[in-house]
Amino acid sequence: MDRRDMLELLNEVATGVTSPEDALAELHADTVSDLGYARIDNARGLRQGVSEVVYGAGKTADQIAGICHAMLGAGQRRILITRLDAEKRSLLPADLDLAYHEDAQLGIVGGIPEPDGNGTIVVACGGTSDLPVAEEAALTAEFLGNTVVRLYDVGVAGIHRLLAHADEIMHAHVVVAVAGMEGALPSVIGGLTAAPVIAVPTSIGYGANFGGVAALLAMLNSCASGVSVVNIDNGFGAGYQANAINHL
Amino acid sequence: MDRRDMLELLNEVATGVTSPEDALAELHADTVSDLGYARIDNARGLRQGVSEVVYGAGKTADQIAGICHAMLGAGQRRILITRLDAEKRSLLPADLDLAYHEDAQLGIVGGIPEPDGNGTIVVACGGTSDLPVAEEAALTAEFLGNTVVRLYDVGVAGIHRLLAHADEIMHAHVVVAVAGMEGALPSVIGGLTAAPVIAVPTSIGYGANFGGVAALLAMLNSCASGVSVVNIDNGFGAGYQANAINHL
Amino acid sequence: MDRRDMLELLNEVATGVTSPEDALAELHADTVSDLGYARIDNARGLRQGVSEVVYGAGKTADQIAGICHAMLGAGQRRILITRLDAEKRSLLPADLDLAYHEDAQLGIVGGIPEPDGNGTIVVACGGTSDLPVAEEAALTAEFLGNTVVRLYDVGVAGIHRLLAHADEIMHAHVVVAVAGMEGALPSVIGGLTAAPVIAVPTSIGYGANFGGVAALLAMLNSCASGVSVVNIDNGFGAGYQANAINHL
Amino acid sequence: MDRRDMLELLNEVATGVTSPEDALAELHADTVSDLGYARIDNARGLRQGVSEVVYGAGKTADQIAGICHAMLGAGQRRILITRLDAEKRSLLPADLDLAYHEDAQLGIVGGIPEPDGNGTIVVACGGTSDLPVAEEAALTAEFLGNTVVRLYDVGVAGIHRLLAHADEIMHAHVVVAVAGMEGALPSVIGGLTAAPVIAVPTSIGYGANFGGVAALLAMLNSCASGVSVVNIDNGFGAGYQANAINHL
Amino acid sequence: MDRRDMLELLNEVATGVTSPEDALAELHADTVSDLGYARIDNARGLRQGVSEVVYGAGKTADQIAGICHAMLGAGQRRILITRLDAEKRSLLPADLDLAYHEDAQLGIVGGIPEPDGNGTIVVACGGTSDLPVAEEAALTAEFLGNTVVRLYDVGVAGIHRLLAHADEIMHAHVVVAVAGMEGALPSVIGGLTAAPVIAVPTSIGYGANFGGVAALLAMLNSCASGVSVVNIDNGFGAGYQANAINHL
Amino acid sequence: MDRRDMLELLNEVATGVTSPEDALAELHADTVSDLGYARIDNARGLRQGVSEVVYGAGKTADQIAGICHAMLGAGQRRILITRLDAEKRSLLPADLDLAYHEDAQLGIVGGIPEPDGNGTIVVACGGTSDLPVAEEAALTAEFLGNTVVRLYDVGVAGIHRLLAHADEIMHAHVVVAVAGMEGALPSVIGGLTAAPVIAVPTSIGYGANFGGVAALLAMLNSCASGVSVVNIDNGFGAGYQANAINHL
Amino acid sequence: MDRRDMLELLNEVATGVTSPEDALAELHADTVSDLGYARIDNARGLRQGVSEVVYGAGKTADQIAGICHAMLGAGQRRILITRLDAEKRSLLPADLDLAYHEDAQLGIVGGIPEPDGNGTIVVACGGTSDLPVAEEAALTAEFLGNTVVRLYDVGVAGIHRLLAHADEIMHAHVVVAVAGMEGALPSVIGGLTAAPVIAVPTSIGYGANFGGVAALLAMLNSCASGVSVVNIDNGFGAGYQANAINHL
Amino acid sequence: MDRRDMLELLNEVATGVTSPEDALAELHADTVSDLGYARIDNARGLRQGVSEVVYGAGKTADQIAGICHAMLGAGQRRILITRLDAEKRSLLPADLDLAYHEDAQLGIVGGIPEPDGNGTIVVACGGTSDLPVAEEAALTAEFLGNTVVRLYDVGVAGIHRLLAHADEIMHAHVVVAVAGMEGALPSVIGGLTAAPVIAVPTSIGYGANFGGVAALLAMLNSCASGVSVVNIDNGFGAGYQANAINHL
């Protein structure tokens, strides 16, 4: 149960639709569902405004399904599953009613809600090859209730492609800048806007890119000041923090 | 001239105290002061809400003084100089009227303004040795107009010291979490709050800490979701990003 | 022949059930079985209390079977085979009577004995994905005669899940703390107990986790004092040392 | 107040020498002394059996003195200060009554107690140059109440020097093995004893030793099973862990 | 004797001012001056068009002086000494008649000649702190006979400062792009011009810049195609390569 | 539309074959074809003399086909596709009329033009295993209109094989030197010629070659002065810059 | 044609069996067979005493066959092919008459000659998993005419297994010491013998062994003096140098 | 007492000059002089033919003097002290009668003996800056009884300087090849000779040479076959290994 669901529940209590006792039972506050292989933190929505997200890598399809059922049983309405590859997705039970985004390797149960953030989130990426990570960020932000503007293939070697969208960048509430190779995009964007920039290095490239390390280091050393960085290929993390900033 | 100064100026125009022509002259929009060794970006305040900050390392005292005088001449009222060591500070001309914070290696011209951010910024650090970086973050945030709550020496090996301040953390608008050694502080804090957490690894430690790399990697791999990271020992960058978020 | 077997044998000598001559023959002291591709150290049990363990990776199924048969022939009653993948296990001869634990990639010949250690060993891990390494540690410790308490999915981003088990941690004789990503678990546990903590970094994660290096460095730099570290994914090594400590 | 002091205090209560009320006041349980730059965890002795140790690097002499006075004021009788260089030591106030060990860079307030551990701790090192780290380990263990046997300059390139002491190694309760360069000492020792071996890589060497990384990696990859590792040059951590094991 | 000197000499032969025999003696073709500690390659000018340059680091002042005197004795008219720090320069004999550029740590004997390259070389750098490396490149190129246009402090975080000089960049024959921190400058410049871009990473920055590695990797992974890279801080190498291209 | 096409078009305008209006329409200046997953920079030929090249890795066959069709639609006559593996190539539509070079993983649409560069480009490589990268460089240079001389398997361990071709090297306008393992080829070649040398490290080798890092570092540290370096295995980048130099 | 063949040929000339003219023709001195993809250095036997060896990795089966046929055509009697995997070997033409050693991934044409070295070469390895690399070294040495003594599975964690063979080690002319994991074997052997020790790190291990880097660094930092090192898994290089030493 | 001394002693016994009993006393076989901070391995000469060498770094002048006196007392006639800086040397007692070589940082007690090796050892180095390491190798070899030919400043960028000495290289018994920067010298030399080549990387260079790592990797990946490598700057190790080979 996340921020949005709780607000709705409290409104029902306020209007008498739901009794305080029933509401309390639904809140599942402070409970942990212990599945043996996982302890689901049902109260995370209370603490952090966002329910636990399922990290699909390193879990079997059975474990993922078990966790999802436990979450739904505890009253959660929407579930995000990250790093879910197509093969594992095909092994999930049909009753989960999962929308699958193969490029971003994301599964979404319960659909994407109406956006209710303070502004728009721009997700920009340097090249076509960075698209999967950018989509992971964009879909995560949308899942959490944000309006997202996508600016793809605006790498710095053709700077006019980026400058053509300076307006959208300047009016964004948060910018997620995704880039592989030399990872220069966040620095240029950081110089164009007062909004915080979340930089996401991708593993796109070869040779001395070292699986994204080149872009990661570039972003950590950005000469633009309002830039912070998440892990290589961590589109989810960027979308998540952009949401946190956009819902303050 | 930063966001605050410009707002004041526009109010003066609105009330007739200053004519539009005089205001335009003061805005210095789109001008660059070319000192040969530096091109001062006088319009940065217009674009980003914060005027250019002087990075003291790798510049001579003469260059720093020259840049400051040019900025003041272009109408900037407050200047922040980072990475200013005590020896270089002693070589700056007295007329700069600089307040010097030795622990944080910061010089401030023009004083710290009244805070006008949306909420409070918590700056937490793991150990006494991380204090200089934490102070760099805290003073930067205060210089940019934010209320800062300091929580120092709350490392995770004595978790009760941190949990005793769970309340301040939960009510913060942004948290800057500074830690060396294993860099675990942002992960624990990230699990306690819905606010974005800016993590700052420090170079404190020895051996396999590799000048802060251990903490940097830990923070990039944080299992808590709302955490992004700045460069090692980059307290300034964290304070700057926290300000951007706190002024949206 | 390990510590336990030798004690039993010496009791038989003391009670006249076995003659000293027969016992000597069974001890195989100072003998090495040379199989060409391997020299089995039959006297290791005498020196170290634990017989040689078979490292399955990099050996063919035939080599593993040959080594096991030689060990059984030399009087060893229980054999532990580590890093044994399912395919290689399927190629082992049926007469070995092997119990196979696929998650931990362990094969056990001769079963798990009654525990006879001084206290309990807690094996804790941060997330569901760390479970295989944690199981390798837990099963190794059980194979060597220890009582093991498993605390899985107690990562630091939901610190209350760990604190709920503070009691078991405080009463443990040794704690094995297994974690990937930022590897912060041993630091927090190390602050809660006087018992030695053996930290095991796992390769779980992506990007800048560098196959477990992030967690390894974090653990080596732990700000908690009673923490020592084994190799990445080395659940066996942690279980082995925990046993050594628990049998002092 | 550590394990030893508390036991004494409880005996005084049991015999009526001290009233329960006075004892409670002395225990300082759950209190934290907040000095601004440091929060002293006075209850650490209750939780971990060992009081907080002062890490001298990165603290000023004034901060160290302040922390020591606060600890003494809170009833602690003995204080260990690590990484205390000779210059900083000379700036500490005389009333601290500090015994200083320059080779190990340790300061000890209140003297070394009678040993009360279960067995002996062997501290072995490979070469003369590793001596400072070995001494840090040995003195830490003695400070915490252990009997220490020193075996110095027993590197593996002259294996007979080590084998001449096989007896002491086999009868140790714990072995701390300190080595720089190729860091092979713990592997050879680990093959000679059933006791747990705590390996300490040192930064001694040049070129491709990379400040101790060569020895660190060797120790993490030890082919002997009962070996765990602490940070480079972390003699303190090894002595601390050896004490924990020796007092179970 | 370099390209220029040889051309002059050959003209003298053609016009009878110098006899072929005397010219041959002056050419010193295929001779090596063996000073014991150095073998001066007098024929390098014949093979490569540029005489040997003296790398000052790791040589004593006496060795540098000896090499210079041997070169002058062998007919060389101009000598470039790189990595010559101020202290070593002060120890050189006065008769060398050296012009010293402290910022670039360059000594020049015999002055800078008239430029005779095919076009202009633009030397651009990101920040004031990169100036010493940029000057090393610019002065090297001038020493070798090129017209140099300096564009300093045009980092990508204020992209308009760079775009204001797009014209000079587009009309350059070669561009040397010098940058520290995230090293993005060559990528942006590479997208603006058809000329080859020689990228020079500098060690300017801190933390995860790792002494210039961040910028180096960024430049090797540039998404702009016409970019090649020299060693960190190797302004000399860039100036030399730019000269080779500008004199084809 | 690249340099060559544009020149032809302008000639047509000059001779009245094409009207200025039609020419303008064909130039597609300043237009960007936005395909959603890619923004094609149609004006790159105007700015850089070379049209955009398609980087095949990380793109689907459908995306590659879409981009090619858009480029052809915008008037481009020849397209180079790099990093195109055989499987992806087999999925491209037949109407693209692609010539495929499997060793170099290059696809070429529209054929290779007559060379029109200033001199020859020598592409040399150390061993047979470096051939794919050398071919990528050679074919790229030929695609862009250059005469290429191939010198393969001339590694430095049999220096006479290289010296036998000293003549071709000395008369080259540019040399591309491709080598794996210890990467010494560019240093030896750099000492033989006045022409600029573009060094390409390859990932050929094993163990401590670290995927080409050994060769990369060797090349960056070349003691020969006129050497600059591109990314590991980046034959394309070297061919591209060699073309830029050869067309100045 | 290698040292041995040439000696035989010269003897035939001395005894009139072969005329000087025919012998000259057979020597192929200074000739290079240019196959396009390879330049075979037929005179290497004259210069180095050992004919060129074929490195199988990165070459196609067709290229390998072509090179072998050219070598045989140029009079070479025995050919060694390294890094030849089983699949590629199956694609080689039958007429090559190749003996294949799968464990060592070696193919040998023309058989192994009688040994004619000055002494014996000991090849020792730490564990069963290092056997393939040790066999590559041993077979290379035998192919080049040396007597080899194999000591396998004598790792330092069971030091008595090694000491039991101290005699063979002390009487060796050269020792090749092969080890993965912590790579300590060469240090211990180096302390037992006056003969030169060639150390070969293997990639055996996991986690922080980093594909053999741990063993490599340990060997480079060996505290024993007469140890030099070849590349990770480079059994061939060690066998080759051992042969050079054994034939001085 | 080394090989040479022992031979002399045995000759005295054979001729009755010394009695067997006196000889035995002088041999000090199997004794270890325990100085507390060092255990001198007096029998090393018996085992390895070379007495223990004193590694000066990390030892105080007092410790060095103590060790030397103990060695002299145990009958050793010549002592080599490595890594002895000028300051520490000035603190050694005058009675040691030490010859000091500042460039190589070597101290020699007892002088250099007549050479008695099988052939000559060539020590070659790339540049003047590598001279200290080359001298450490050359002097070590001379101290151990070898004839040394020095070839300095023969780097591969002026390959003719090296080829001019091909003769000396081809006739050497062993070659020590010392180089910094790209470390290509051993590869070129290895292709010119049948003798074993010991490669020594030096830390000379800057930027991406990473303190000698670039040269080290190049040497480990040498495409010439008879090359093995010692640690960065380890001239002593190379001289020692060359001696072992030259005295077989």
Side-chain angles (χ1 to χ4, degrees), chain A residues 155-159 163 180-184 187-188 190-192 204-210 213-214 217-225, chain E residues 155-159 163 180-184 187-188 190-192 204-210 213-214 217-225:
Chain A
V156 299
I159 197 79
L163 297 179
M181 297 186 170
E182 84 274 67
S187 293
V188 178
L192 295 174
I204 293 304
Y206 55 89
N209 107 316
F210 300 125
V213 167
L217 295 184
M219 291 170 179
L220 286 168
N221 286 283
S222 176
C223 57
S225 299
Chain E
V156 301
I159 198 77
L163 296 179
M181 296 184 170
E182 82 274 68
S187 294
V188 176
L192 294 175
I204 294 305
Y206 54 88
N209 107 317
F210 301 125
V213 167
L217 295 184
M219 290 171 179
L220 286 168
N221 287 284
S222 175
C223 57
S225 299

Side-chain angles (χ1 to χ4, degrees), chain D residues 78-171:
Chain D
R78 273 179 296 276
I79 304 176
L80 180 65
I81 309 167
T82 65
R83 307 270 154 160
L84 179 69
D85 61 45
E87 195 195 326
K88 206 177 281 180
R89 179 259 187 281
S90 71
L91 298 173
L92 290 179
D95 72 322
L96 268 185
D97 194 23
L98 188 100
Y100 184 60
H101 301 259
E102 186 162 9
D103 46 2
Q105 307 255 311
L106 286 182
I108 292 178
V109 176
I112 286 180
E114 281 301 296
D116 60 355
N118 297 324
T120 63
I121 295 174
V122 164
V123 176
C125 77
T128 303
S129 309
D130 302 317
L131 203 143
V133 178
E135 274 301 295
E136 193 190 39
L139 285 164
T140 296
E142 288 175 339
F143 174 84
L144 297 172
N146 300 277
T147 304
V148 173
V149 175
R150 285 161 171 86
L151 295 179
Y152 290 173
D153 201 15
V154 291
V156 301
I159 198 80
H160 59 295
R161 294 181 301 186
L162 179 66
L163 296 180
H165 295 274
D167 223 61
E168 277 138 308
I169 290 168
M170 283 186 188
H171 288 95

Side-chain angles (χ1 to χ4, degrees), chain E residues 84-101:
Chain E
L84 180 68
D85 60 46
E87 194 195 328
K88 207 177 280 181
R89 180 259 184 283
S90 72
L91 298 173
L92 289 179
D95 72 321
L96 269 184
D97 195 22
L98 187 102
Y100 185 60
H101 300 260

Side-chain angles (χ1 to χ4, degrees), chain B residues 72-233:
Chain B
L72 294 171
Q76 190 163 328
R77 300 187 191 174
R78 271 179 299 273
I79 305 176
L80 181 66
I81 309 167
T82 65
R83 307 267 156 164
L84 179 69
D85 61 45
E87 194 195 327
K88 206 176 280 180
R89 180 258 185 283
S90 71
L91 298 172
L92 290 180
D95 72 321
L96 268 184
D97 195 23
L98 187 101
Y100 185 59
H101 301 260
E102 187 162 9
D103 47 0
Q105 306 256 312
L106 286 184
I108 291 178
V109 176
I112 286 181
E114 281 302 297
D116 60 355
N118 298 323
T120 63
I121 296 174
V122 163
V123 176
C125 76
T128 302
S129 308
D130 302 317
L131 202 144
V133 178
E135 273 302 294
E136 193 190 40
L139 284 164
T140 296
E142 288 175 339
F143 173 84
L144 297 172
N146 300 277
T147 304
V148 173
V149 174
R150 287 160 170 86
L151 295 179
Y152 291 173
D153 199 16
V154 290
V156 300
I159 197 78
H160 60 296
R161 295 181 300 186
L162 179 66
L163 297 180
H165 295 273
D167 222 59
E168 278 138 306
I169 290 168
M170 284 188 187
H171 288 94
H173 221 63
V174 196
V175 181
V176 173
V178 180
M181 297 186 169
E182 82 273 68
L185 188 62
S187 293
V188 176
I189 290 180
L192 295 175
T193 177
V197 177
I198 313 296
V200 192
T202 73
S203 54
I204 293 304
Y206 55 89
N209 108 316
F210 300 126
V213 169
L216 171 64
L217 295 184
M219 291 170 179
L220 287 167
N221 287 283
S222 175
C223 57
S225 299
V227 176
S228 62
V229 187
V230 296
N231 198 358
I232 298 164
D233 289 337

